[in-house]
């Protein structure tokens, strides 16, 4: 697969670069460049990232970082069986447990939420750092929802991390998941509160909490169009937020306008006969 000339391979993390030192120099450079492309594309073009990961895997399947990258690329494409196999391989090579939550989520993707819950209670979870433990909690809550245990999902997410006022990289996602779980059982007022808290913590736009909050508030976003139904020259990207109150005010204004300017030619029904049965 083609790789832009400006991609040198030096862009990768130094730990990964160190892993690649076990390879011949030219091969290490080729693998590194493919891994850079995986990282660049995985969010916007998962299939493209997957393609580059397969090239890297073909070149250096015995490097743990390559197996891990291949796992995440497959995961992004919802190829959960393949992703799980790659994550397991990477874990065997390194002995690390940091991939445990995403491995459990692969079990969910394969339709095995019970297995994901078993993994959530395994000793490996205690070896995870705080971010990993929160991730595992999110996976476990998702597994509960998969099984129709909505109230249990809410309880699973209730934790010191959720109650904390400090903002961490995972805070927005945790609050969002809790809000979504509350909404699933009809606790709309509480859900709105937690979506709002998720918005406060979502500094990099990792969730659509603001859209969900607007939806709960009944806000609709419409394009600002001119009278011919086309965008004006100065309104190429303009949108207008319309709330239920705005709609009511608009309806009242239209009614007042009709009272001030009645129809010039009202329809006369006086000559119409009675309705026939």
């Amino acid at each position: 697969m083609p790789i832009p000339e400006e991609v040198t391979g030096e862009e990768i993390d130094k730990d990964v670069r160190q892993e690649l030192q076990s390879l011949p120099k030219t091969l290490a450079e080729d693998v590194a460049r493919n891994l850079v492309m995986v990282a660049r594309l995985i969010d916007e073009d998962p299939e493209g990232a997957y393609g580059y990961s397969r090239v890297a895997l073909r070149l250096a399947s015995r490097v743990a970082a390559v197996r891990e990258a291949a796992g995440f690329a497959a995961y992004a494409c919802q190829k959960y069986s393949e992703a799980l196999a790659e994550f397991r391989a990477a874990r065997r090579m390194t002995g690390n447990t940091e991939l445990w939550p995403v491995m459990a989520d692969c079990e969910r993707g394969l339709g095995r939420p019970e297995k994901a819950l078993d993994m959530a209670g395994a000793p490996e979870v205690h070896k995870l750092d705080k971010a990993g433990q929160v991730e595992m909690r999110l996976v476990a809550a998702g597994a509960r929802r998969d099984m129709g245990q909505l109230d249990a999902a809410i309880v699973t997410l209730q934790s010191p991390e959720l109650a904390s006022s400090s903002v961490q990289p995972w805070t927005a996602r945790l609050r969002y998941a809790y809000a979504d779980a509350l909404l699933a059982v009809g606790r709309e007022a509480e859900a709105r509160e937690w979506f709002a808290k998720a918005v406060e913590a979502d500094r990099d736009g990792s969730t659509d909490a603001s859209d969900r909050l607007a939806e709960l508030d009944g806000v609709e976003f419409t394009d600002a169009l001119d009278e011919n139904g086309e965008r004006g020259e100065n309104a190429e990207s303009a949108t207008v937020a319309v709330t239920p109150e705005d709609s009511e005010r608009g309806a009242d204004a239209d009614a007042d306008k009709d009272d001030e300017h009645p129809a010039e030619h009202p329809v006369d029904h006086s000559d119409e006969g009675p309705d026939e049965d």
Side-chain angles (χ1 to χ4, degrees):
M1 297 180 68
I3 298 177
E5 292 184 3
E6 66 269 17
V7 175
T8 65
E10 293 296 319
E11 301 89 343
I12 63 174
D13 185 84
K14 64 179 181 179
D15 292 334
V16 177
R17 192 181 306 117
Q18 186 173 356
E19 278 193 65
L20 296 179
Q21 288 180 354
S22 61
L23 304 173
K25 183 177 180 181
T26 301
L27 179 58
E29 290 176 354
D30 289 342
V31 174
R33 295 180 74 210
N34 278 281
L35 292 180
V36 171
M37 294 305 297
V38 173
R40 282 190 176 187
L41 298 176
I42 196 165
D43 291 328
E44 297 181 359
D45 181 12
E47 290 292 342
Y50 177 77
Y52 285 105
S53 76
R54 301 308 296 177
V55 174
L57 192 60
R58 187 174 66 249
L59 295 174
S61 61
R62 296 185 179 181
V63 176
V66 172
R67 303 302 290 265
E68 183 175 329
F72 277 111
Y75 179 81
C77 293
Q78 299 183 6
K79 300 177 186 291
Y80 298 117
S81 180
E82 186 176 326
L84 185 57
E86 297 300 340
F87 290 142
R88 284 173 173 168
R91 183 168 178 268
R92 284 195 301 270
M93 293 176 179
T94 64
N96 294 335
T97 59
E98 60 186 22
L99 294 173
W100 197 253
V102 71
M103 289 169 63
D105 206 38
C106 285
E107 295 288 0
R108 282 187 61 209
L110 291 169
R112 302 194 290 249
E114 298 89 350
K115 177 62 176 175
L117 286 177
D118 288 342
M119 293 180 69
E124 285 81 354
V125 176
H126 300 294
K127 300 177 183 179
L128 297 170
D129 60 14
K130 181 63 66 176
Q133 291 177 5
V134 170
E135 197 66 36
M136 193 71 248
R137 189 177 293 276
L138 289 168
V139 173
R144 291 291 186 188
R145 292 187 64 168
D146 293 343
M147 298 167 66
Q149 301 174 4
L150 303 183
D151 289 326
I154 292 174
V155 173
T156 299
L157 293 169
Q158 292 171 342
S159 60
E161 294 80 17
L162 179 67
S164 174
S165 59
S166 66
V167 175
Q168 303 296 332
W170 35 260
T171 301
R173 293 177 57 243
L174 181 60
R175 293 177 179 179
Y176 182 97
Y178 189 59
D180 196 44
L182 289 169
L183 192 60
V185 297
R187 293 162 63 176
E188 187 171 311
E190 294 173 84
R192 189 204 176 284
E193 176 186 350
W194 282 97
F195 276 128
K197 290 182 178 181
V199 170
E200 293 175 358
D202 196 357
R203 296 169 178 171
D204 58 357
S206 62
T207 74
D208 65 345
S210 59
D211 292 339
R212 299 293 299 277
L213 184 61
E215 183 180 347
L216 285 174
D217 287 342
V219 177
E220 298 179 6
F221 292 91
T222 60
D223 289 334
L225 304 177
D226 62 21
E227 60 183 3
N228 296 319
E230 299 178 353
R231 291 183 185 274
E233 294 181 359
N234 298 321
E236 292 184 358
S237 60
T239 58
V240 177
V242 181
T243 65
E245 292 79 6
D246 293 332
S247 298
E248 292 176 5
R249 284 195 293 270
D252 292 341
D254 289 340
D256 293 340
K257 187 174 182 181
D258 290 340
D259 290 340
E260 294 176 3
H261 304 284
E264 295 182 4
H265 303 286
V267 179
D268 186 357
H269 298 283
S270 58
D271 295 334
E272 293 181 3
D275 294 337
E276 296 181 1
D277 293 334

